[in-house]
Amino acid sequence: MILPIPGRHHLWYYYRADMLPHSPADHSRPRSRAVLVALAVMFAAWTLLYAVCWIVATRPMLSVELGFEAPEFLPAEHALLVQSVTKGSPAEQAGMLPGDKIAAIDGKALESANSQTVAWSAHQPGDRVHLTILRAGQVSPVVLTGTFRPAGGGGLGTQLRTWYPVPFVVVGLTVLFLRLEDRNVWLLALLFGSFTTTSGPPEGFNGVAASVRPLVLTYNTLFLGVVGPLFYWFFAVFPARSPLERRVPWLKWVAIGLGVCLALPGVTTGRLQLPGPLAAALGDPDSNRIPFWFEFSFLALGLVSLAATFVSTHDAGTRRRIRVIFWGTTVALVPPLARLVAENAWGFRAPQWLTTVNAAIILLFPLSFAYAVVKHRVLEIPVLLRRSARYLLVQRGFALSLSLVSIALTLAFVFSFAARLQPFVEVDGPSGIVLGAIFGTMVLWGGLRIHRQVSGRIDRAFFRSAYDARIILEDLAEHSRTARDRDELARLLERHLEKALEPAWLLVYLAGNDNRLVAVAGRPSHGLEQIATDDPMLAYLAARGQPWDVRETGLLASHGASPLAALDPDCLVPILGRNRRLEGVLVLGSRRSEEPYAGEDKRLLASVASQAGSALDNICFAEDLAERIEHERRAAREMEIAREVQTRLLPQAPPQLLTADCAAQCIQARSVGGDYFDFLDLGTGRAGLVLADVSGKGVHAALLSASLQAHLRSQAALAPLDPVRLLCRVNDILWKSTAPQHYATLFYGIYDDGARHLRYVNCGHNPPMLLHPDGSVERLAVTAPVVGLFETWECAASEVHLGPGDLLAVFSDGITEAMHDEEEFGEARLIDSLRTQRELPAATIVAAVLDRVQTFSAGDQSDDLTLLVVRAR
């Protein structure tokens, strides 16, 4: 027994409860179901009418032949183009060659493509015929005389063409009537219906009764116009939405509209054509090619969508199911499409054998779907074949009887009633068959309505358990997926199990907290609110994984100490989740009918428990997801607060100096980061300049940078003018308070405003750049190791003078190592940016340089960006 599982829009995942016997609920099905049935019957009748007329129009009807193929009529020359000549045939003996053009038969010029058929029908084997031939390279026509021979039943090509629609019709309509409520099946049926028209109308269906021909030509033209759009639509959504469908979902609707526009002008001819004014403006060659390229474009898009789905599918089961469809469709359509492109683009004329091969190959398209349906359960239709023989004999026997009656009435109509209509309407043999098919379809449709009226009574009389199974599975399929919590699911199980099995009492236990099962729903004979999951009887049930009749298997005797034994149950059903974890148990008392729980009942309970286990997994997943979302929301808020705190720890304004203009900015790669800068007030006329880069990223780096900033500020108050002493003390504090792998690079400078003098210590940091007015660049080299990594740490201070026009830039490695297409921003671009902006205020320089870095990396920032600029006035 198969139950619905997620992914219901994938055809092979979608299983409906109507695979089981009907119930009285069928008597009041929604009107939408009735509408679908009506539409399906009308579509089937129209399709069958077209298929029958096709077979009648294409079957060999002549008793004579000469042994040549001339399928193409040239209207401009009023001639038939000979495509091939059979070896040893009367045509070859008369001297006919491929490429000849037949302009007249027995001296009578050809008026239409049907002229040859009319002429041939007037002759018998052994008669002679005179053909006027236009041959390339000869000015005057050639008259050839041939002797008719008896016509064969038609070669392989003729037979394939005659029966071409049958596989498409059989597969499409069969699947449609089995899965009426599946939109993808409707698309498939319409697609297969449209493919029956791709060989073109056989001489305008001249062999079909005039009263029927308009319906047939309309079907041919309409479905021929949408064959490409339907093919693209189907594979754009099956088995999953293609990338193109996700980007332009309206494309399929536009394609259908354009296809209809190409079909409407040609409904009387059976061929696609542009609207009159547009066709006149473009001329014959272009207006005739546009419909073909339109259809070809969407057929190609459909193949691309199918290939993309097949290649991108990683699930082994899914890939196995669509492999046959992918290869069948590709092999079936690519060669014929290639031939058609060659004919329309380069004027290639395919030989008869190639046309026959293509006609045979294209049948792989419907046959691959039929094979996939039966072998790989793409539509889960094989479940129908697994019904019991008893059900087939009774329930389906009734439907079979209706079908036989329909066939009998159809034959009676063809051989009796049709003859009586002869005086009023043209009814020949073939058209009588067509009208009989329509009449039989109507009879069958009426019989199916009668069948629905009595099917519920048959189910109740013969198949009560199957009837109950349908009720439960149908409701569970509709509601268990939408159950919002355990209580709702438990009530659902209780209600339907009581209705189907009628136990004297039942309890629904579901997993709660503290490894206990809690009674969520039911009516026990004795109160038992909770059961420990390590209960021996539950452990035994979980290991078995199947419902057990307690009395038959002796569970009560072997586990008498279990609290469940006090309930005196008749049947226990474990509910297992992922990894066979026990998520609950159904406890049922004896049945009111005093009958034991039969094997069919246990199979039903096992299916219900499996569905409940899946629903519980979904509920747990939803609860975990909600908890995770809430946790992430709180974490995001906390990170936002941390970001605000870290931003406020940075100096809000640069120091006010007479000889220098200072500015700095830090752009973090994450919410918080490890870069920071600082301006320290060291007394009158002096300012401390700090830029540090802490190892690591994220919250830990942010905490370490805040700690480093606090230590620097506290030590600066103790030794404001001695950077060496200050940093030795900071290194000692960090080494003792942080893990061995945590450290920081640091630039610390003391600027004397009056003397324009900078004394600095570079602790393993990128050497800052000092740009002089003459264009030279001086780098402030490293004078000490990184801080916080070594216990024994020594450093030295250096000095530099900032003359008027000098520009000092202290930066973190995030600036020079910013990447784009595996290329770094680098020091050269940084120097160029500084030189370009050097005449501007320091704050403007900082903003311009950081903006160029971000533009270079195209928004892909992997590290913090920090820049401090001192511009000497």
Side-chain angles (χ1 to χ4, degrees), residues 342-357:
E343 290 177 353
N344 284 270
W346 301 292
F348 169 77
R349 296 192 180 279
Q352 185 64 30
W353 67 266
L354 182 58
T355 303
T356 301
V357 170

Side-chain angles (χ1 to χ4, degrees), residues 222-378:
L222 183 61
F223 279 94
L224 182 61
V226 296
V227 61
L230 282 174
F231 185 85
Y232 163 71
W233 189 339
F234 182 76
F235 286 114
V237 299
F238 171 87
R241 295 182 68 196
S242 67
L244 183 60
E245 165 66 9
R246 290 193 292 269
R247 289 178 177 271
V248 283
W250 46 264
L251 179 60
K252 55 183 180 290
W253 295 105
V254 173
I256 293 292
L258 293 175
V260 172
C261 291
L262 290 176
L264 291 179
V267 291
T268 59
T269 63
R271 299 185 182 277
L272 302 182
Q273 59 187 62
L274 296 177
L278 184 58
L282 294 176
D284 286 342
D286 291 335
S287 62
N288 291 334
R289 291 192 185 100
I290 286 177
F292 165 77
W293 289 112
F294 168 80
E295 300 292 346
F296 172 80
S297 299
F298 283 97
L299 287 170
L301 283 177
L303 287 173
V304 170
S305 298
L306 175 59
T309 302
F310 178 74
V311 172
S312 61
T313 299
H314 301 294
D315 179 69
T318 302
R319 190 178 183 87
R320 183 177 64 256
R321 289 182 176 99
I322 66 172
R323 182 185 292 116
V324 173
I325 293 176
F326 171 75
W327 288 113
T329 303
T330 303
V331 173
L333 297 188
V334 170
L337 287 178
R339 178 179 65 83
L340 290 174
V341 169
E343 290 177 353
N344 284 270
W346 301 292
F348 169 77
R349 296 192 180 279
Q352 185 64 30
W353 67 266
L354 182 58
T355 303
T356 301
V357 170
N358 283 340
I361 288 177
I362 201 171
L363 297 181
L364 290 175
F365 183 35
L367 295 178
S368 64
F369 267 87
Y371 179 84
V373 165
V374 175
K375 178 67 175 176
H376 296 291
R377 303 181 183 178
V378 172

